[in-house]
Every structure is written in C-alpha cells, then in structure tokens.
C-alpha cells in the first residue's frame, strides 16, 4: 500500500513538474502575435523570401527615420487630423513595427526606442485627464474618443510583448501599474458605454483590453474582454453620437461581437467600410487567443466566421479593389489598406492556405512581419498563387442569416450591387432596396457614401459632418424609392433598426440571366415595395443590360420619387425640360433641402431616355413613364454653406397621386469616345422600346425591344418564388409556361 502511494506521489510530482515547465514555456515572450518558434523560422528565411524581405526593408527604413527624429508624446488637444492626434497615432503604429524589428533583427536599438517611448507615455498618462474635446459619447485620454485610445493599446500591446523579456521585472511592474492596467480599466470599466456593446467601437476596446491582458497574464482582463462587464449600469435608451443604441441586452464582449454583427456568410452588418476597420482587432486578437489560449479554438468559432468574413469582404469590392460604399463609408477605401493586408495574411495562414488569397497579396505588394506574412510570402515564392476571380454572390445579413442581405451580380466587368439588409447599427442608412452600378471598377450609378473627410482637420475635425445625417443617410441620397418626400422609417433609428428587407429569390445559375429579387414591407406604413434586378445578356448589346423592376403596393395614394444618381456628363434626353434662372431647393427636409432643381420636364413618349458620358463610355437609362410623371434634374449643394457636399447630379422620376404602381427601367453600357482620335462609337442607345405588357398581383411582364426589332420578354412571379413552381400566363393572346419565379425568352417581332 505504501509503495503504491509513493509511486502515485512520484507520478503526480512528475505531472506537476511537466505542467509547471509547460506554464513557464507558455509565458515566454513574444507569444501574442509573434512567437518564439515563428521568429526563429522568420530569421532562418531572411534574405530568401523576396516579398517578406522587401516588406521588412520598407518598415525598417520607416522606423529608422522615426528613431532619428526623436520621440514626441505631446499633451493631447486635437481632433482627428490635428498634430497631437496624428502624432499619437503615428507613435502606436511605429511602436508595433519597432517591436517586431527588435525580434526579427535582434538589434537592441529598437527595444530601447520602444522602452523609452513607453516610459514617456507612463509619465504622461499617470495624471492625464480626459481629452479636452467634448464631442464623443466616450471621451478618451490620448485621443478625443475611447475608440482611438483602444487603437493605441491594440498596437502597443504587441510592442510590449516583443520587448517583454528584454525589460527588467521592475520596469514591467512600473509600466503595468501606471500605464497598461489603468489604460485598460479606463476604456472598459470606466467607459462601459463604449466597451460593453455590439459595435466596431467595442470590438476595438475588447481587443485592446484582451491583448494587453494576454501579454501581462492578467486573466481578469482577458475574461472582461471576452465576455464584457456583467453589471455595467447602462441606460437601455442611451445612444452614441451616430444615434445608435448603446446597450444590447445580455450581449457584450469580444465573443458577442463575433456572434451578432456577422452573418453565417461572413457579412458584417455595418457594411464593408467598417468591416475593413474592425477586421484588424477581430483578427489580430484572434491570433493572440490562438497562440495563448488555443483551447478557445477562436478561428473555428461560429463555423469559422472570421475566416469567412475575409472572403466576403474581398467579394464586396469592385474590379479595382475599392469597397462598395454601403452605409457610412468613405469612397475609395480598398483592400490595399493596412487592415486588409493583415486580414489576407491571417486568413491565408490560419484558414487553409487558400491560393486565391495570394493573388490579392501580390496586388497589395507587402506582407505583415509575422508567421502569417511569412506564409504568404513563401506561398508566392513557391508559385502557389491562383487568381481570385470574383463571381456573382449573395451574402446574408443578421446573426442567423435571416435579416436580408447583399447581392452582387457580375458579368463582363459590370457589377450590380443590390442592398436589402438590416439597418446596419448606428452606421446604417435609410436605403431599403437600393442599388449601385459599376463598370470596370468605376461607379456609374452611385451611392453617395458618407459625409465626412476622415482625418482632415479643416472639415469638422475629421469627424462626421452634420450633412451625414441631413443628406448621406437619407433615402433620397440613394437609388431607391422615396414616398411623400419622407425617408424610410421616417428617418428614425429606433424604427429602422427593428426591421429588415427580405430576399425573395436569387438565381445566377445562368450567367446570361442573373436575377435577384427582394421585398420591403415596413419602410412606409401601409406600403409594400418589391424590387427585382437582373443582368440580361443580348447578342446585339455590347454588355449585359440591367433591368430594374420596382412594384409598389399602397393602401393610400402617395407621391413617389425614384432617383438615379448618375455620374458623368449629360449627352442627350428625349423629353422637353426647362431650367430655372434661379436655383431653389427641391424640399425642406429629409435630404431634399440639399437638392437644387436644375431642370423640370414632362415625357413626350411612353419611354424617357437619359444618356451620359462617364470616363469615355456611354450609358443610357430608359424608363417606362406615365404621362403625368415629372422628370427632375437635381444637383447637390443647396443649404450647404461650408461646401461639405459634392456637387453630384441625379435624375428623379416623380409620380404623384399614385397608389399601386410599377417603375421599370433599363441601364445600358454602350460605345466609347476617344479624345485622341475624337471619334465616338455606338453613342446611342440600342433599346427601341421598353414596355410593361402585363401587371397584376400575380405576375409582371416586361419586353425589351432593340433597334433591330429583337425582343426580350421577362416575366416575374410576384407571389411565389419557389424554383419548382409551374406557371402559365397569357399575354396578348399568347400562352407562356415555365417553372420557377421568373421566365426570360428572346423573340423577334
């Protein structure tokens, strides 16, 4: 018996020793993003992996230049774009890079630089009050909002991890006591309205607190980051600066931010612009959790939604890599941003080495300096690259994928983006069933995006301008229906956030006939909207023709406005119009106050046409029109004394005193103009006539006749979207039979 106990005791002792050794190894640094093993592999490959070596050289030159300039940690006073804001932002980016350089190059000058700057921040932060700018619902200390303070800590935690073992224990204790722990507490427990929510803001806060917790081995901070603050004391009706609700009952922390904003397809409800911004903390914290807490299996969470989201985000970019400006979004943001370099590298390394991602990295022409960046650079060196060919795609919205979604129809470099999502949290717009159209990476029918000049101090301190609310979010700013000059949901977040549109059907099985259809029943009380959009290929047209079919059913008569926000120079119209000598605003509210009326017209035929030139290509909008409709040329700029809005144009179809109605239009891309040869080719529309040949509660049918007399007939089932449902319809004494929610045939008159 005694021998048995002794053997058991020895065995337990061995287990404890092994466990103790494992814990010592687990606490070695770096272990957050870089790892000991990863650094060894990187160093072994230096000079042999061209893309990694080139990226390393660029960063080394950048950091060396900053070291030569000296360290500056000014007392904060500015908004975005101001010196103190930009200096502190520059500091955290350089600190992270300097830490990485110390690990890879083993040159102590980088560790000294990081240490010295951290102690300058430690001396500054100890007695630092909240930022003097009072605009934010959650004021920071180094920056005007906690969001940017969190940016700082996400990056600086990586720098601290890289020099952790190089610092003395006393230095670490001083930094953690006076800087890092107070910093983490400030952006979390002292600002729960920022930290304890489902939003890209709190994602940054969660990642910041969690990452510094991982470096310091502070389990309390790690748990706070993952699950939020249990008793936050927040008012259920409190809102942020964008008008969005702060509190989501029972949902907070990093894991909740993975569950709620992402659909199962990887679509992020705030839209690609803010998804791009949030992808850095989502993925970089995930790497830290993967390395330090592998038992969480973070990259497998919610069926690997983080890895799916990178693929979704790339698919929400145009031919040039610019993200579609859904919701609040700065046009021109693209997958060339630093966040997407990180996202693509991490998705490749931790997501099964998808060779298509290497083609994106080749375009980005740089990698991050860690294990994932090395994997990408090695994959490119070993010629594993495959092209990332973006196809038509449907992405659901909502945590369960049942809150509408986004569809992109693609063919022959045309990209039709159709939006039927949930509201998109506080960054959402009132734009149900809106669309935008791109041709070869250029927007032809645009979404305005947001009214903000990010980090340009002269424009509202780089923050959102009032016109973002008075114009950019309003329905009239989008290519969708406006009823009685009032925005969807009356422009009220409390209402709009409760509803979403519904996908009716999506079918891209035939690349020559790609169709998406969605319904919206809540934007206006008593009014239902059903919009169907298609890319239809005809032999005699240069590119596919966009068909836009919008049915409206209402309980009362209304005024309907359908704007088309075209970009380019007007070439020709087929209706008479008059231009006022004095410009006046189209309305007084809901965005109408910002639109000048440049022309008023009445139709002369059953079809109106607008042709315009954009980037030496011709486009024509053909619309079925009613005899009492008005055609309004408008231009942005009214009631904009500070010139915050672009002077963009639109054509608006106004239909008054209507109850149930249907709007039908086509958009063609045709011909070209050469300013060198001064020749134009195919500058006129190829469509002779567009007709609604049948419209009932059950079916709507449209014919498109070209100038050679060839006709395409499109029939839509308005009530049954099932693929196996058989239909029969008689139009002009001719019977048509088909299976599925739509039917498209080509005939000759």
């Amino acid at each position: 018996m005694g021998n048995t106990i002794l053997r058991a005791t020895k065995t337990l002792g061995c287990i404890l020793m092994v466990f103790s050794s494992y814990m010592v190894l687990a606490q070695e640094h770096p272990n957050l993003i870089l790892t000991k093993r990863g650094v060894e592999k990187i160093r072994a490959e230096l000079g042999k992996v061209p893309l990694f070596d080139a990226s390393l050289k660029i960063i080394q030159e950048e950091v060396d230049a900053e070291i030569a300039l000296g360290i500056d940690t000014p007392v904060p006073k500015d908004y975005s774009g101001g010196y103190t804001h930009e200096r502190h932002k520059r500091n955290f980016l350089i600190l992270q890079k300097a830490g990485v350089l110390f690990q890879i190059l083993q040159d102590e000058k980088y560790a000294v630089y990081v240490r010295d700057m951290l102690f300058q921040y430690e001396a500054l932060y100890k007695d630092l009050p909240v930022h003097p700018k009072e605009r934010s619902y959650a004021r920071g200390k180094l920056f005007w909002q906690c969001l940017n303070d969190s940016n700082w800590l996400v990056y600086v935690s990586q720098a601290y991890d890289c020099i952790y073992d190089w610092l003395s224990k006393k230095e670490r204790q001083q930094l953690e006591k006076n800087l890092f722990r107070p910093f983490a507490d400030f952006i979390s427990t002292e600002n729960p309205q920022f930290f304890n929510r489902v939003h890209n803001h709190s994602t940054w806060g969660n990642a910041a607190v969690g990452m510094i917790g991982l470096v310091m081995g502070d389990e309390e901070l790690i748990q706070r980051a993952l699950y939020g603050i249990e008793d936050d004391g927040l008012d259920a009706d409190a809102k942020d600066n964008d008008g969005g609700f702060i509190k989501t009952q029972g949902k907070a922390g990093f894991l909740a931010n993975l569950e709620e904003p992402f659909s199962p397809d990887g679509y992020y409800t705030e839209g690609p612009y803010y998804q791009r911004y949030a992808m850095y903390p989502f993925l970089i914290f995930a790497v830290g959790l993967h390395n330090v807490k592998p038992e969480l299996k973070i990259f497998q969470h919610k069926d690997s939604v983080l890895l799916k989201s990178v693929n979704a985000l790339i698919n929400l970019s145009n031919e040039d890599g610019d993200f579609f400006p859904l919701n609040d979004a700065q046009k021109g943001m693209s997958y060339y941003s630093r966040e997407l370099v990180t996202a693509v590298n991490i998705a490749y390394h931790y997501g099964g080495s998808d060779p298509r991602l290497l083609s994106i990295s080749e375009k980005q022409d740089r990698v991050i300096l860690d294990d994932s960046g090395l994997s990408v650079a090695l994959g490119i060196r070993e010629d594993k690259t495959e092209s990332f060919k973006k196809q038509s795609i449907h992405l659901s919205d909502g945590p369960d994928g049942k809150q509408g979604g986004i569809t992109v129809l693609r063919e022959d470099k045309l990209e039709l983006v159709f939006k039927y999502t949930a509201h998109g949290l506080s960054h959402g717009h009132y734009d149900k069933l809106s669309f935008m159209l791109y041709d070869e990476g250029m927007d032809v029918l645009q979404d305005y995006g947001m009214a903000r000049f990010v980090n340009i101090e002269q424009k509202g301190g780089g923050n959102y301008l009032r016109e973002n609310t008075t114009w950019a979010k309003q329905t009239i700013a989008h290519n969708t229906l406006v009823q009685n000059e009032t925005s969807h949901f009356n422009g009220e977040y409390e209402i709009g956030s409760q509803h979403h549109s519904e996908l009716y059907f999506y079918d891209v099985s035939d690349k020559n006939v790609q169709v998406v259809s969605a319904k919206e029943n809540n934007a206006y009380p008593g009014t239902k909207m059903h919009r169907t959009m298609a890319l239809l290929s005809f032999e005699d047209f240069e590119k596919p023709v966009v068909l836009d079919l919008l049915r409206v059913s209402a309980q009362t008569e209304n005024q309907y406005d359908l704007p088309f926000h075209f970009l380019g120079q007007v070439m020709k119209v087929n209706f008479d119009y008059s231009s006022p000598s004095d410009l006046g605003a189209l309305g007084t509210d809901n965005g109408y106050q910002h639109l000048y009326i440049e022309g008023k017209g009445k139709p002369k035929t059953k079809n109106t046409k607008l042709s315009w030139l954009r980037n030496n290509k011709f486009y024509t909008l053909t619309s079925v029109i009613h005899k009492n409709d008005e055609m309004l040329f408008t231009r942005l700029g009214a009631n904009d004394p500070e010139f915050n809005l672009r002077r963009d144009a639109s054509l608006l179809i106004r239909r008054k005193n209507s109850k149930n109605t249907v709007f039908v239009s086509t958009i063609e891309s045709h011909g070209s103009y050469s300013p060198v040869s001064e020749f134009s080719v195919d500058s006129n529309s190829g469509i002779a006539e567009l007709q609604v040949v049948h419209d009932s509660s059950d079916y709507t049918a449209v014919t498109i006749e070209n100038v050679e007399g060839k006709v395409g007939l499109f029939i839509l089932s308005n009530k049954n979207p099932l693929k196996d449902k058989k239909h029969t319809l008689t139009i002009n004494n001719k019977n048509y039979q088909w299976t599925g929610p739509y039917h498209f045939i080509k005939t000759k008159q």
Side-chain angles (χ1 to χ4, degrees):
M1 182 69 175
N3 289 336
T4 302
I5 293 174
L6 181 61
R7 286 196 299 270
T9 302
K10 288 183 177 179
T11 301
L12 179 60
C14 291
I15 292 172
L16 290 173
M17 288 178 62
V18 170
F19 181 75
S20 176
S21 299
Y22 169 78
M23 291 301 294
V24 170
L25 288 173
Q27 293 303 314
E28 285 186 345
H29 296 267
N31 65 356
L32 186 65
I33 308 304
L34 284 172
T35 62
K36 287 284 188 182
R37 180 182 297 180
V39 170
E40 291 171 1
K41 185 174 181 181
I42 288 170
R43 288 184 54 76
E45 294 286 354
L46 288 181
K48 298 181 285 186
V49 191
L51 184 55
F52 192 92
D53 293 334
S55 300
L56 176 62
K57 180 181 179 183
I58 291 171
I59 288 175
Q60 186 177 4
E61 290 174 352
E62 179 185 15
V63 174
D64 285 349
E66 286 290 334
I67 291 175
L69 286 174
I71 297 171
D72 184 18
T73 55
V75 175
K77 67 175 184 176
D78 298 319
Y79 278 129
S80 306
Y83 174 75
T84 63
H85 181 100
E86 294 306 308
R87 184 65 261 172
H88 290 300
K89 180 180 177 180
R90 182 72 175 157
N91 284 348
F92 70 66
L93 293 170
I94 294 298
L95 278 172
Q96 186 269 339
K97 294 173 181 177
V100 170
L101 290 177
F102 169 63
Q103 284 293 327
I104 293 175
L105 301 178
Q106 296 185 341
D107 186 335
E108 283 200 347
K109 77 174 182 179
Y110 299 112
V112 170
Y113 179 74
V114 173
R115 179 199 62 194
D116 290 351
M117 190 183 295
L118 288 182
F119 274 102
Q120 281 201 26
Y121 273 113
E122 182 260 348
L124 174 68
Y125 197 81
K126 280 187 295 186
D127 301 311
L128 193 65
V130 293
H131 198 280
K133 298 297 185 183
E134 299 180 356
R135 179 180 295 183
S136 177
Y137 76 104
R139 290 159 68 188
K141 286 192 173 183
L142 291 179
F143 300 90
W144 68 277
Q145 56 179 347
C146 281
L147 173 61
N148 301 100
D149 279 30
S150 298
N151 297 165
W152 187 92
L153 191 54
V154 164
Y155 282 88
V156 172
S157 62
Q158 298 173 62
Y160 183 48
D161 181 52
C162 286
I163 69 163
Y164 187 94
D165 286 343
W166 180 82
L167 292 169
S168 69
K169 182 178 180 180
K170 181 179 179 181
E171 288 172 323
R172 293 197 298 267
Q173 289 175 338
Q174 185 176 345
L175 287 172
E176 292 178 9
K177 178 182 177 181
N178 297 331
L179 178 61
F180 292 130
R181 182 61 195 241
F183 205 116
D185 287 340
F186 176 76
I187 61 176
S188 56
T189 55
E190 294 180 43
N191 281 279
Q193 77 280 16
F194 163 77
F195 186 81
N196 230 37
R197 59 187 305 208
V198 174
H199 195 277
N200 77 79
H201 285 194
S202 50
T203 298
W204 276 97
N206 300 154
V209 170
M211 289 173 70
I212 198 63
L214 290 173
V215 178
M216 297 191 302
D218 190 325
E219 190 64 27
E220 181 185 355
L221 291 183
I222 297 168
Q223 294 301 308
R224 187 188 303 172
L226 291 174
Y227 302 105
I229 304 164
E230 187 172 350
D231 298 315
D232 55 26
L234 294 175
D235 183 348
D237 296 323
K239 294 183 178 180
D240 63 15
N241 297 109
D242 299 310
F245 287 117
I246 287 173
K247 192 171 181 66
T248 304
Q249 293 294 338
K251 297 172 183 176
F254 186 73
L255 296 180
N257 273 283
L258 275 179
E259 289 288 341
E260 290 297 310
F262 285 105
S263 79
D265 296 325
Y267 176 71
Y268 187 69
T269 194
E270 294 184 52
Y273 178 79
Y274 274 98
Q275 181 173 353
R276 172 274 323 171
Y277 179 60
M279 287 314 294
Y280 187 83
F282 270 124
L283 287 167
I284 210 72
F285 185 30
V287 172
L289 290 170
H290 174 84
N291 288 332
V292 183
K293 287 187 169 290
E295 67 275 10
L296 287 176
K297 298 182 179 179
I298 195 67
F299 283 115
Q300 287 76 51
H301 192 83
K302 194 177 178 178
D303 195 25
S304 302
V305 72
L306 274 180
L307 300 173
K308 287 182 180 178
S309 70
V310 178
N311 182 74
L313 193 48
I314 293 171
N315 273 292
L316 288 174
S317 67
N318 66 17
E319 283 277 323
D320 295 333
D322 293 347
F323 297 124
F324 301 126
L326 303 163
N327 297 329
D328 284 342
Q330 177 159 268
K331 298 176 76 169
M333 177 55 71
S334 75
Y335 60 48
Y336 293 98
S337 68
R338 65 174 180 269
E339 298 93 345
L340 261 292
V341 173
T342 299
V344 170
N345 287 190
I346 290 173
Y348 178 81
H349 184 65
Y350 296 98
S353 302
D354 182 350
R356 300 177 307 149
L357 293 175
L358 297 179
S359 67
I360 305 297
S361 288
E362 284 186 325
K363 292 178 181 179
Q364 294 168 334
D365 199 30
R366 63 193 190 279
V367 294
I368 56 178
L369 304 182
D370 65 6
D371 303 25
S372 61
L374 180 64
S375 289
V376 167
L378 288 170
I380 291 172
R381 186 190 70 179
E382 293 163 10
D383 200 26
K384 295 180 179 179
T385 305
E386 294 181 10
S387 177
F388 197 112
K389 296 178 181 178
K390 287 180 273 191
Q391 308 291 333
S392 295
I393 191 170
H394 157 71
L395 297 169
S396 63
D397 193 6
D400 56 0
K402 297 179 180 179
Q403 297 181 15
I406 290 283
T407 287
V408 184
L409 300 181
R410 289 184 166 101
E411 184 60 30
D412 198 12
K413 296 189 177 181
L414 283 179
E415 295 170 307
L416 175 68
V417 185
F418 185 42
K419 182 172 185 269
Y420 46 95
T421 63
H423 188 70
L425 302 180
S426 61
H427 287 296
H429 288 192
Y430 302 97
D431 61 343
K432 299 304 181 188
L433 307 188
S434 66
F435 82 99
M436 59 190 89
L437 180 65
Y438 287 75
D439 186 8
E440 297 185 11
M442 173 188 65
D443 47 350
V444 177
L445 286 162
Q446 70 154 342
D447 187 294
Y448 187 86
M450 66 185 181
R452 180 185 182 186
F453 296 81
V454 182
N455 289 330
I456 298 179
E457 188 180 23
Q458 299 93 317
K459 286 293 187 180
N463 303 313
Y464 280 101
L465 301 165
R466 63 180 298 274
E467 289 80 11
N468 197 60
T469 298
T470 61
W471 167 253
K473 285 179 178 282
Q474 300 295 330
T475 305
I476 191 61
H478 305 84
N479 301 305
T480 192
L481 189 79
V482 186
Q483 178 175 295
N484 300 327
E485 296 190 19
T486 303
S487 287
H488 297 168
F489 309 108
N490 202 34
E492 296 178 17
Y493 178 80
E494 294 88 343
I495 304 172
S497 61
Q498 301 302 312
H499 300 287
H500 58 85
S501 303
E502 295 281 359
L503 175 66
Y504 186 58
F505 73 87
Y506 163 75
D507 185 3
V508 295
S509 56
D510 181 353
K511 71 173 186 176
N512 294 316
V513 187
Q514 301 186 53
V515 190
V516 60
S517 184
K519 294 187 175 185
E520 171 55 51
N521 297 328
N522 298 293
Y524 297 110
T527 297
K528 297 181 178 181
M529 296 184 287
H530 183 184
R531 195 169 203 172
T532 302
M533 307 203 75
L535 279 182
L536 306 175
S537 296
F538 295 83
E539 293 84 354
D540 299 302
F541 286 87
E542 181 179 341
K543 287 199 172 188
V545 173
V546 176
L547 173 64
D548 175 20
L549 196 163
L550 173 59
R551 298 189 78 253
V552 187
S553 303
Q555 295 176 357
T556 59
E557 288 190 347
N558 301 288
Q559 172 184 288
Y560 300 122
D561 291 338
L562 183 59
F564 292 90
H565 295 277
F566 67 93
L567 290 170
Q569 182 68 43
V570 173
M571 293 287 102
K572 181 181 179 182
V573 298
N574 71 340
F575 55 89
D576 295 328
Y577 64 92
S578 60
S579 296
S581 56
D582 296 317
L583 295 179
L586 181 58
T588 60
D589 203 356
N590 301 312
Y592 282 77
Q593 74 274 24
H594 290 304
L595 289 172
Y596 284 122
I597 304 174
E598 289 193 330
K600 283 187 176 182
K602 284 285 187 179
K604 295 192 298 183
T605 64
K606 293 181 180 180
N607 285 174
T608 59
K609 285 184 178 290
L610 164 68
S611 295
W612 69 97
L613 182 67
R614 166 82 160 144
N615 197 31
N616 297 320
K617 295 178 181 292
F618 295 100
Y619 301 90
T620 297
L621 169 72
T622 303
S623 301
V624 175
I625 213 76
H626 294 184
K627 64 178 181 179
N628 293 323
D629 287 351
E630 288 183 330
M631 313 300 293
L632 302 176
F633 281 108
T634 69
R635 189 173 299 277
L636 266 175
N639 296 298
D640 181 27
E642 296 180 348
F643 299 93
N644 287 332
L645 296 171
R646 303 189 300 268
R647 270 39 186 170
D648 296 341
S650 63
L651 177 68
L652 186 152
I653 301 173
R654 170 164 286 179
R655 187 165 297 167
K656 297 180 179 179
N657 304 317
S658 293
K659 190 175 180 181
N660 300 332
T661 193
V662 59
F663 291 88
V664 177
S665 298
T666 56
I667 303 111
E668 302 164 77
S669 172
H670 56 91
S672 62
Y673 176 75
S674 170
V676 175
S677 66
E678 298 183 329
F679 281 118
S680 63
V681 178
D682 292 331
S683 60
N684 290 307
S685 167
I687 292 179
E689 187 174 21
L690 182 64
Q691 287 190 73
V692 178
V693 293
H694 180 90
D695 185 52
S696 67
S697 60
D698 292 320
Y699 302 101
T700 300
V702 175
T703 56
I704 305 170
E705 181 181 352
N706 72 4
V707 292
E708 296 181 353
K710 296 180 181 179
V711 178
L713 171 66
F714 183 89
I715 307 174
L716 175 69
S717 166
N718 294 323
K719 289 184 176 179
N720 195 319
L722 297 179
K723 292 182 179 181
D724 58 356
K725 173 66 176 176
K726 294 183 178 180
H727 301 270
T728 300
L729 181 65
T730 300
I731 303 175
N732 296 329
N733 299 318
K734 185 173 181 180
N735 291 326
Y736 296 91
Q737 295 181 345
W738 74 96
T739 301
Y742 72 93
H743 185 48
F744 180 65
I745 60 171
K746 301 173 187 177
T747 64
K748 189 175 179 70
Q749 291 287 73

